[in-house]
Amino acid sequence: MAGATTILALTILTLSSLLHPTNSHQFSTNLSKRAMGISTKREKLSHLHFYFHDIVSGRNPTAVRIAEAAATNSSATGFGFVAMIDDPLTSGPNYMSSEIVGRAQGLYGSADLSEVGLLMVMNFAFVAGKFNGSTLSVLGRNAVFSALREMPVVGGSGAFRFARGYAQARTHFYDFKTGDAVVQYNVFVLHY
Ligand SMILES: *[C@@H]1O[C@H](CO)[C@@H](O)[C@H](O)[C@H]1NC(C)=O
Ligand SMILES: *[C@@H]1O[C@H](CO)[C@@H](O)[C@H](O)[C@H]1NC(C)=O
Ligand SMILES: *[C@@H]1O[C@H](CO)[C@@H](O)[C@H](O)[C@H]1NC(C)=O
């Protein structure tokens, strides 16, 4: 029995060393851009335009508060609160009549003691057109009561590998009673 186990273990070891040669354990290697297929490609500049629906009220909110500081209610800016979002992104401003082009998934939290300034950490996960299945990652500051906010695009996946750029946000609609918002986004991104 022990013999059979040893033979099995040796066979697995031999097979795995064939499948994963020793040098695959190297922590880092230099790759040629040519081998990755990007040396001949020129970087493209894409512009994406969509509307972000932040629904905090009703029975099916897409943004939910998940944390707050004990002293949050004594701060005018809600400093310390954090919300998790899975907000739909649509081609036009009207949620009912527009195509869903993606979702904004991630977090925002109040990170400013003196004005309403959010830290946004989110991925735009696209589901339409040539960017279906690709994502862009945004990490930035969003002073929501300013007319125009700008946040860096720090990377991406799929069609957006090696992406960098910026996203501009303008509030299209804000319901002061419910807190629901529709925000227009213009995203400018360099990618291969
Ligand atoms: C990668 O390139 C750097 C700079 O040219 C060189 O110093 C390093 O030895 C290379 N590493 C490997 C694993 O080839
Ligand atoms: C802050 O206010 C909200 C709404 O009034 C309440 O639900 C929540 O429990 C309060 N939080 C604290 C920490 O007092
Ligand atoms: C997006 O990709 C998914 C998965 O590959 C596919 O099921 C879906 O039909 C695609 N949608 C569009 C609009 O191309």
Side-chain angles (χ1 to χ4, degrees):
M1 203 57 204
T5 312
T6 311
I7 289 167
L8 182 63
L10 279 174
T11 309
I12 290 172
L13 269 178
T14 313
L15 276 178
S16 76
S17 66
L18 282 174
L19 291 172
H20 307 283
T22 327
N23 68 7
S24 76
H25 296 299
Q26 248 174 283
F27 175 55
S28 81
T29 56
N30 296 328
L31 289 180
S32 79
K33 282 194 199 167
R34 188 173 301 279
M36 294 292 285
I38 60 170
S39 66
T40 51
K41 288 191 188 169
R42 285 185 55 193
E43 236 175 342
K44 295 186 277 280
L45 175 61
S46 293
H47 171 220
L48 294 94
H49 177 248
F50 51 82
Y51 292 82
F52 166 107
H53 301 261
D54 196 52
I55 305 157
V56 300
S57 70
R59 293 225 295 229
N60 299 302
T62 61
V64 295
R65 199 176 271 236
I66 54 170
E68 63 191 0
T72 285
N73 290 353
S74 59
S75 153
T77 66
F79 183 69
F81 92 79
V82 179
M84 183 72 77
I85 64 169
D86 185 0
D87 284 349
L89 306 174
T90 59
S91 56
N94 187 315
Y95 180 67
M96 300 314 257
S97 63
S98 302
E99 183 197 5
I100 293 197
V101 297
R103 307 196 70 90
Q105 300 173 335
L107 304 161
Y108 59 71
S110 174
D112 193 316
L113 280 165
S114 55
E115 69 166 322
V116 181
L118 302 180
L119 165 68
M120 309 288 290
V121 186
M122 63 184 170
N123 294 310
F124 291 141
F126 298 103
V127 297
K130 60 181 172 174
F131 299 127
N132 184 12
S134 298
T135 66
L136 283 175
S137 299
V138 171
L139 174 66
R141 178 174 187 273
N142 186 1
V144 294
F145 293 116
S146 300
L148 175 65
R149 294 88 73 184
E150 184 170 308
M151 289 161 262
V153 171
V154 296
S157 72
F160 293 124
R161 286 176 177 175
F162 299 110
R164 61 197 201 284
Y166 61 97
Q168 291 185 322
R170 289 175 180 84
T171 302
H172 176 74
F173 166 83
Y174 180 66
D175 186 328
F176 279 91
K177 262 194 207 133
T178 63
D180 291 350
V182 179
V183 182
Q184 182 188 175
Y185 270 84
N186 279 286
V187 180
F188 300 89
V189 62
L190 285 168
H191 61 103
Y192 287 100

